[in-house]
Amino acid sequence: MKAKVSIIMGSTSDLPVMEKAAQILNDFKIPFSINALSAHRTPEEVEVFAKGAMDNGIKVIIAGAGMAAHLPGVIAAMTPLPVIGVPIKASLDGMDALLAIAQMPPGIPVATVAINGAMNAGILAAQIIASGDEALQAEVIKFKESLKQKIVKANEELATVKYEYRV
């Protein structure tokens, strides 16, 4: 089984955030790989990875980074594959990472999710792959429906809560 999605993080300290993407991909039964590569400490390895990802069967790359957060953009500059950036809250409440990932120059897009939003990155990767896979598309639709049902159930439960001044 070859990985279709690659999860890359700048440091293993990002794993508690990035494992949420791994869990979603696992739930959707999408094969993935997960590695730590640093745009600053291992630039040659990042280049080898990014330039070889498509030939290795990767369809989507999820890249998480905090602080300077160059990893998603550096990877996006070297591959034609879609890159989803996950800003990691490491300093400045993650705003530095969010802006570094979202503010890419024209021609080098990086889809960017919320700070520490690796779960959404996993869902977006599944949706991208599902655009060419009917069985996976059905699973994504089922997942989205389950989200709707959670809210419907929550509203039903809220209706039973009694407050003195509730109208």
Side-chain angles (χ1 to χ4, degrees):
M1 172 177 6
K2 289 186 84 166
K4 291 184 180 180
V5 177
S6 186
I7 299 171
I8 303 295
M9 63 197 94
S11 167
T12 55
S13 64
D14 299 334
L15 185 58
V17 171
M18 299 305 289
E19 67 186 353
K20 293 176 179 91
Q23 187 58 56
I24 287 291
L25 296 171
N26 205 59
D27 291 348
F28 279 117
K29 298 176 179 60
I30 297 171
F32 65 92
S33 61
I34 187 165
N35 293 290
L37 291 173
S38 170
H40 303 108
R41 291 170 287 209
T42 60
E44 294 86 5
E45 288 84 351
V46 170
E47 182 176 7
V48 168
F49 162 76
K51 289 182 175 179
M54 188 170 68
D55 290 338
N56 288 326
I58 300 298
K59 304 295 182 202
V60 180
I61 297 168
I62 299 172
M67 299 172 74
H70 294 121
L71 184 62
V74 167
I75 290 172
M78 292 188 269
T79 184
L81 297 173
V83 176
I84 303 168
V86 180
I88 306 285
K89 183 179 177 179
S91 64
L92 302 175
D93 289 328
M95 288 301 296
D96 52 340
L98 174 64
L99 294 173
I101 295 171
Q103 296 295 323
M104 293 302 298
I108 312 295
V110 174
T112 309
V113 296
I115 296 167
N116 288 356
M119 179 181 173
N120 273 352
I123 295 166
L124 181 56
Q127 289 175 306
I128 291 168
I129 293 170
S131 67
D133 180 330
E134 288 183 24
L136 182 56
Q137 186 72 273
E139 290 301 312
V140 168
I141 290 167
K142 191 166 100 177
F143 172 79
K144 295 280 190 155
E145 183 63 27
S146 76
L147 297 176
K148 176 183 169 185
Q149 292 308 315
K150 285 180 185 177
I151 296 299
V152 168
K153 183 178 180 193
N155 272 324
E156 289 169 357
E157 290 171 4
L158 280 173
T160 66
V161 177
K162 303 295 180 200
Y163 295 98
E164 187 174 347
Y165 293 101
R166 183 174 185 169
V167 186

